[in-house]
Amino acid sequence: MSTFTSTSNSTDAKNGNVDGTMSATTMEATSRRPRLSGMTWLVWRQHRAGFWAILAATALSVAWMVYQRGQLVDFLAGYGYPGKDLSEAEGAFQQYDDAFRSVAFGLQVIPILLGVFLGAPLLAGDLENGTAKLVAAQSMSRTRWLATKLALTGLVVLVSTVALSAVFGWWWNPVKSEVTVMDWTSSDAFNNTGPVLFALTILSVFGGVAIGVVLRRTLMAMVVTFGFTAVVQLVWGHFLLSLGNVITVTTNKGVSSENAFPSLPKGVYQIDESYLTGAGDLLGWSTCSGAESDQARELCLKKADVVGWSVDYLPMSQMNGMQWFGASILFALTAGVVAFLFFWGRKRLV
């Protein structure tokens, strides 16, 4: 017996091993790694191409926005902002403005894209090709299968949209108060920061899943889901401003004198402005606009008893609260869709 063999056997014996083999405990410690198993592994493997594509696209987009943010900060520092107004930058800021708008557009189509290409086929494909019947024949319940599908899909959507909205908001933050860059009430800014992007996307995706479960045909489900997500975006945009509390400010210094118009905080979204009469009535700002001269206009306003302005606006300070309030409504609708899926799935998901 060689010295090497002798030494090895002696060492193994001291460690409680037999014939120089590794003990079961050591093998368990070596092979113990975090990994998916069971139904979670099955669902991930089935949809891993789509999941990885989403996560990879998210990583690339985040990296590009981080780079753009660095470029923006360097430009603002060299330009002397906020000491100098960006309106004086003329075309020098145009490339950064274009970058904001192009990325904002891309983020806004995420709910539609994921709803159509991730949500609609998620279960419709299994129902169409018979995979659902195979799963139902196994020991795992349909409820667990459905829950795992929704949970993994929701997790991927959460990670990707939260990362994108957080970095986009961080990129926009240095010029957030500049309405000429992006008005905070516009869909470019409001829908792509805070919780709104995730809320819109998860409703679109799970709505697509529900449509696929009912129609049971992948292509048809994708077409209907496209219409559904488009309607969601339109309805959301229509009611967006109603999420805030409108503030009204009035003056009684006339309408033509210096400082007659009320002073508004920076970054506000002005909803309406009207003439205010001595009796407290409101007249449209076009009142007396047909007067032939300034003197005639003054006489017209005096005859109408106009004493000042009334302005309705939403301050930027309400943005975060409006986003969470709106997102809570979208989350409630999503919860309703999920409840429908489990109710339908227990009886007809085969």
Side-chain angles (χ1 to χ4, degrees):
M1 182 181 293
S2 67
T3 306
F4 177 78
T5 306
S6 255
T7 306
S8 298
N9 289 341
S10 173
T11 305
D12 291 340
K14 290 180 182 179
N15 291 334
N17 299 334
V18 180
D19 296 329
T21 60
M22 187 178 291
S23 66
T25 304
T26 307
M27 290 180 65
E28 282 183 23
T30 304
S31 61
R32 189 180 300 158
R33 299 173 183 171
R35 56 177 139 184
L36 301 177
S37 61
M39 184 61 71
T40 305
W41 175 85
L42 177 64
V43 171
W44 177 268
R45 184 170 179 80
Q46 182 183 9
H47 301 286
R48 67 188 184 279
F51 290 162
W52 279 121
I54 293 170
L55 295 175
T58 299
L60 291 175
S61 300
V62 165
W64 192 82
M65 284 190 285
V66 169
Y67 169 76
Q68 287 296 322
R69 207 262 185 184
Q71 296 291 101
L72 173 65
V73 170
D74 291 343
F75 168 79
L76 294 177
Y79 178 72
Y81 181 82
K84 294 175 63 178
D85 197 323
L86 279 180
S87 61
E88 302 173 4
E90 299 179 351
F93 188 74
Q94 188 61 43
Q95 60 174 319
Y96 303 101
D97 190 48
D98 291 341
F100 274 123
R101 298 187 186 281
S102 60
V103 173
F105 175 78
L107 294 180
Q108 285 188 80
V109 301
I110 286 178
I112 297 177
L113 290 178
L114 294 190
V116 172
F117 294 103
L118 178 63
L122 192 71
L123 292 177
D126 293 339
L127 293 169
E128 188 174 18
N129 60 32
T131 305
K133 291 183 179 180
L134 178 62
V135 172
Q138 306 304 312
S139 59
M140 298 292 183
S141 67
R142 286 175 292 181
T143 300
R144 182 176 177 184
W145 175 58
L146 175 59
T148 305
K149 282 248 187 183
L150 296 181
L152 272 181
T153 303
L155 180 61
V156 171
V157 171
L158 174 67
V159 170
S160 58
T161 54
V162 168
L164 289 170
S165 62
V167 176
F168 183 77
W170 179 61
W171 175 23
W172 175 50
N173 191 63
V175 291
K176 187 175 182 179
S177 60
E178 298 291 335
V179 294
T180 55
V181 178
M182 273 197 312
D183 184 358
W184 67 270
T185 60
S186 68
S187 57
D188 288 348
F190 195 90
N191 293 351
N192 296 328
T193 57
V196 178
L197 181 60
F198 170 64
L200 282 172
T201 305
I202 200 67
L203 175 60
S204 299
V205 171
F206 284 178
V209 174
I211 292 170
V213 166
V214 173
L215 298 181
R216 307 172 74 90
R217 294 292 182 270
T218 303
L219 183 58
M220 186 183 301
M222 292 173 72
V223 172
V224 175
T225 299
F226 177 81
F228 166 75
T229 53
V231 169
V232 168
Q233 295 273 11
L234 289 174
V235 173
W236 171 259
H238 179 73
F239 290 102
L240 189 150
L241 293 180
S242 62
L243 298 172
N245 298 316
V246 178
I247 296 177
T248 301
V249 60
T250 60
T251 62
N252 56 2
K253 303 176 182 178
V255 295
S256 302
S257 62
E258 188 176 355
N259 299 324
F261 197 82
S263 178
L264 303 178
K266 189 175 182 180
V268 303
Y269 177 78
Q270 186 173 318
I271 298 174
D272 193 17
E273 63 181 49
S274 307
Y275 290 134
L276 179 69
T277 67
D281 298 326
L282 299 179
L283 301 176
W285 59 268
S286 60
T287 301
C288 300
S289 60
E292 297 179 356
S293 64
D294 291 342
Q295 185 178 6
R297 178 174 174 271
E298 289 292 336
L299 290 173
C300 177
L301 291 175
K302 186 175 181 180
K303 185 177 180 179
D305 192 27
V306 172
V307 297
W309 291 97
S310 175
V311 179
D312 297 333
Y313 70 92
L314 287 171
M316 185 182 286
S317 58
Q318 291 191 19
M319 179 180 181
N320 190 253
M322 290 170 62
Q323 286 179 316
W324 279 103
F325 177 53
S328 66
I329 296 174
L330 296 175
F331 289 146
L333 293 174
T334 304
V337 172
V338 172
F340 165 78
L341 283 170
F342 280 101
F343 174 79
W344 186 281
R346 288 192 326 190
K347 299 182 178 294
R348 306 181 65 174
L349 195 59
V350 288

